[in-house]
Amino acid sequence: MTATIAPTAPATPAATVTPLKVTQGRVLRSEFTKFRSLRSTMWTLLTAVVLMIGLGAVFSAVTASQYHTFSAADRATFNPVGISLAGIGFAVVAFGVLGVLVMSGEYSTGMIRSSLTAVPRRMPVLWAKLAVFAGTVFVVSLIASFASFFIGQALLSSHHVGVSITAPGALRSVIGAALYVTVAGMLGVALGALLRNTAAGIATFAGVFFVLPPIAGLLPASVSDHLTQYLPSNAGGVLYGGAMGVHNPLSPWTGFALLCAYAVVLIGAGAWRLRRSDA
């Protein structure tokens, strides 16, 4: 008795899997996913929005109630747009902290090694982080800036000292406030890449934006009058009327250009360290 052996079907060749190429677009999507999935991101953005709108409303309400006590000199220099955007000076802290955390957070958790293993060229990671951060912060801060302006002017108008968005310099100030906090936050990202330590990055950011200006003001007038306008906070603050007490302020767009130059230099330093140093 002979056994019948069924013919064996030819083996199907295994499908070849083509590895996905690392592109800037894919890195950008990856960084956006990481950015929005962190609870700290949402809480920090919410804090910044509350500071921008809430403090702007408080300053506007208090100013409106006390305007009748202002001297003639105070009324001559009164800037209703700057009052409604006064919360920007405090919200920049939250945006700066968030910027530092975008980079330093991955170093503290060790996740940076996974990111740089997936993207060996390294630079696309930094560019993607900067793009995601700048795009998100600008949109959020622009909405909050318009809200701060309209709420503040509504409070000031109750005492007939408010202005409309079509007033000279009003629209520039509202948009400029969003540009200011966005670039200031990018300085925080650069500090995170350069220092790779959250505490050091936040301390440096706070020192530059909140410690240097009053220290510079303590210097002799012959020095401080020619120095304070070049500090990052005062240079960028001119764009929305936030550079108070500066005797020789730069023009709005010149000051903003100087703030951008600071950001470019610091980002370049952070990129150099990211490229040359081990994670």
Side-chain angles (χ1 to χ4, degrees):
M1 183 176 182
T2 58
T4 304
I5 301 175
T8 304
T12 304
T16 58
V17 179
T18 304
L20 291 176
K21 184 180 179 181
V22 177
T23 64
Q24 186 66 68
R26 291 191 174 106
V27 177
L28 190 66
R29 286 195 295 272
S30 173
E31 291 300 329
F32 180 70
T33 300
K34 288 190 286 185
F35 185 77
R36 65 181 175 82
S37 63
L38 293 173
R39 283 182 294 179
S40 60
T41 299
M42 298 300 108
W43 281 111
T44 308
L45 288 175
L46 179 61
T47 299
V49 170
V50 170
L51 288 171
M52 287 178 67
I53 299 176
L55 290 181
V58 169
F59 279 106
S60 298
V62 172
T63 301
S65 65
Q66 296 182 352
Y67 185 77
H68 67 281
T69 66
F70 283 17
S71 65
D74 290 335
R75 295 188 181 193
T77 59
F78 177 67
N79 181 6
V81 178
I83 293 297
S84 63
L85 298 176
I88 298 294
F90 299 89
V92 72
V93 180
F95 288 120
V97 169
L98 180 60
V100 172
L101 288 173
V102 165
M103 281 300 301
S104 66
E106 290 205 29
Y107 282 99
S108 62
T109 60
M111 190 175 179
I112 191 66
R113 297 185 183 90
S114 300
S115 298
L116 298 183
T117 299
V119 189
R121 293 176 58 191
R122 298 191 176 193
M123 288 299 98
V125 173
L126 179 59
W127 307 145
K129 286 183 181 295
L130 285 167
V132 169
F133 176 86
T136 304
V137 168
F138 180 73
V139 171
V140 170
S141 61
L142 184 63
I143 295 172
S145 183
F146 272 101
S148 299
F149 174 82
F150 286 116
I151 293 173
Q153 296 312 309
L155 293 169
L156 291 170
S157 294
S158 63
H159 289 68
H160 310 290
V161 291
V163 297
S164 68
I165 193 66
T166 58
L171 184 60
R172 186 212 68 216
S173 296
V174 173
I175 297 175
L179 289 172
Y180 167 66
V181 297
T182 300
V183 178
M186 292 174 72
L187 284 169
V189 178
L191 286 172
L194 182 62
L195 302 178
R196 302 184 175 186
N197 182 277
T198 301
I202 293 175
T204 303
F205 183 88
V208 169
F209 278 81
F210 298 99
V211 178
L212 279 182
I215 289 179
L218 296 176
L219 297 174
S222 59
V223 177
S224 63
D225 289 352
H226 296 86
L227 174 64
T228 53
Q229 70 264 43
Y230 298 110
L231 297 177
S233 57
N234 291 331
V238 177
L239 191 58
Y240 74 95
M244 301 296 183
V246 180
H247 293 284
N248 300 299
L250 301 173
S251 64
W253 293 112
T254 300
F256 180 66
L258 179 59
L259 180 66
C260 291
Y262 286 135
V264 169
V265 171
L266 205 56
I267 290 170
W272 177 86
R273 187 174 185 196
L274 180 64
R275 188 178 181 88
R276 297 293 181 180
S277 303
D278 293 332

